[in-house]
DNA sequence: CTTGCTTATGCAACAAGTTGCATAGCAAGA
DNA sequence: TCTTGCTATGCAACTTGTTGCATAAGCAAG
């Protein structure tokens, strides 16, 4: 998987500039795929060279012009081909878990503040996801028509439900970790 | 966070060679932090240069000699200092989620096989985690003494519980995704 | 006695991701 | 007017991570 595919999906959902993409990667897409503006601008340049995207200069009032990108046929073909390729189940990378195991060789209770901070971050994210769900998917149209636009919405919702499940799981686990760490507090 | 810290924790739990570390990164530590043998050998070389680890040539019968690494004082200090530094709540990277949203622009039901494969992979991992828990943490010593070795075990268990919770969450979510994708199957 | 597997270590090249910096227009407020 | 902040794009340098290959010893199977 490369960042290109995430960009293609995002541009198919809605054409936009590198800057707009960068902001989507801070929310929405960014919930499961992070990228900096640097990665995005470089990838867009490559994709333009390869004919995956079309560019259109859009003059704006009150702010600099932007280059609006949209997916070209070649890009769409590249996405389709990637969609049909199997991918490896992802490998996680949880610094916090390393810290927790490392805490055994330091003062375990010193980690409580840190774990608390992470718990707070996940609580905040959960709240944002739930607000987004309320905003975008509140109406119960689950018996409605199954056209292409409907698929887009339904699948976005399914991914969002994944984010919600993930955050809930993390909060519960961090509570478990906190309880464990508290058992190692020095007795007074 | 750098791979160095994961290596330090692993070596504190048990000194070993680069090769042994590489295998631990395929299980145990690897459940939440992946690394190839190349990364590990390079990191060990750096860490040796920086005085973070000590090396000992261990001759072996029936197989090539190995270099057994163990954590030096400087390495321990580096770990402690890292443990006391706050880290950013991790950013996820789920290729599958990109694919699911991308499926709206292709045939959504074509993704069923892929999601099924991932579900199977997570089921397998869950089984391995549960077997490991049974093997290593079966005896209920949760009221026992709270010495340093006890902390190591307890914290390893807490991390493993996180892995278990994660896999359970993923399986449930993938079932949800599958149900969604099935709704888009073309009617016969 | 050759082929393939496991242990054990490593180089070199390449691809991907991060960080710092630069530019530039415009708006709002001190 | 000067600073701060937002939109908008980008270069250069650096750090990480991946992939392919190489070596070398011993073991087991055919």
């Amino acid at each position: 998987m490369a960042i290109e595919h995430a960009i293609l999906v995002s541009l198919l959902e809605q054409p936009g500039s590198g800057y707009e993409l960068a902001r989507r990667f801070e929310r929405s897409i960014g919930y499961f795929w992070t990228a900096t503006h640097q990665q995005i601008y470089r990838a867009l340049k490559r994709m333009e060279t390869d004919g995956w995207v079309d560019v259109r200069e859009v003059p704006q009032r009150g702010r600099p012009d932007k280059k609006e990108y949209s997916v070209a046929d070649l890009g769409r073909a590249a996405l389709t081909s990637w969609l049909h390729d199997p991918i490896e189940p992802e490998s996680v990378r949880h610094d916090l878990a390393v810290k927790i195991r490392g805490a055994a060789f330091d003062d375990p209770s010193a980690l409580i503040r840190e774990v608390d901070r992470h718990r707070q971050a996940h609580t905040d994210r959960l709240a944002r996801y739930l607000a987004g769900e309320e905003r975008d998917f509140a109406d119960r149209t689950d018996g409605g028509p199954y056209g292409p636009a409907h698929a887009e919405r339904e699948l976005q919702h399914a991914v969002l439900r994944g984010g919600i499940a993930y955050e809930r799981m993390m909060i519960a686990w961090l509570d478990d970790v906190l309880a464990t760490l508290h058992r190692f507090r020095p007795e007074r």
Side-chain angles (χ1 to χ4, degrees), chain A:
Chain A
M1 164 81 189
I3 190 173
E4 278 83 356
H5 301 117
I7 290 177
L8 286 173
V9 171
S10 193
L11 288 181
L12 279 169
E13 289 178 353
Q14 174 78 52
S17 68
Y19 187 82
E20 280 162 356
L21 282 169
R23 286 199 303 169
R24 286 185 218 167
F25 275 86
E26 283 164 14
R27 33 167 241 89
S28 184
I29 295 273
Y31 295 162
F32 50 89
W33 190 278
T34 47
T36 62
H37 78 276
Q38 267 314 312
Q39 282 176 269
I40 293 164
Y41 283 122
R42 267 191 300 180
L44 283 172
K45 187 154 282 180
R46 268 198 305 274
M47 294 164 81
E48 195 191 333
T49 307
D50 296 347
W52 287 21
V53 290
D54 295 322
V55 205
R56 197 168 62 95
E57 289 270 346
V58 179
Q60 296 186 112
R61 272 159 307 163
R63 57 184 67 173
D65 295 356
K66 67 174 178 179
K67 295 186 189 173
E68 196 184 71
Y69 292 89
S70 50
V71 178
D73 290 347
L74 272 174
R76 204 161 168 138
L79 182 70
T80 301
S81 131
W82 174 70
L83 284 173
H84 290 273
D85 263 10
I87 49 171
E88 287 297 297
E90 91 301 350
S91 41
V92 220
R93 191 153 286 193
H94 284 298
D95 334 33
L96 193 57
V98 178
K99 274 202 173 190
I100 291 165
R101 270 169 79 147
F105 307 99
D106 190 61
D107 173 18
S109 60
L111 211 65
I112 290 175
R113 289 167 65 93
E114 174 84 331
V115 176
D116 251 331
R117 268 189 44 244
H118 283 252
R119 190 193 185 284
Q120 188 56 52
H122 287 284
T123 307
D124 292 349
R125 275 199 224 168
L126 176 60
R128 272 192 295 131
Y129 290 7
L130 289 173
E133 189 181 34
E134 188 60 36
R135 181 175 14 85
D136 300 331
F137 305 104
D139 49 324
R140 287 274 147 269
T141 336
D142 292 57
Y146 291 109
H150 186 77
E152 192 180 321
R153 237 177 80 88
E154 279 287 297
L155 293 171
Q156 282 179 6
H157 193 187
V159 169
L160 180 57
R161 288 197 300 272
I164 290 168
Y166 177 76
E167 299 305 330
R168 288 202 165 121
M169 184 278 300
M170 283 298 287
I171 292 165
W173 175 58
L174 291 177
D175 282 337
D176 176 5
V177 170
L178 282 171
T180 306
L181 290 175
H182 275 289
R183 289 213 299 279
F184 292 103
R185 267 184 314 184
E187 318 280 341
R188 275 139 308 173

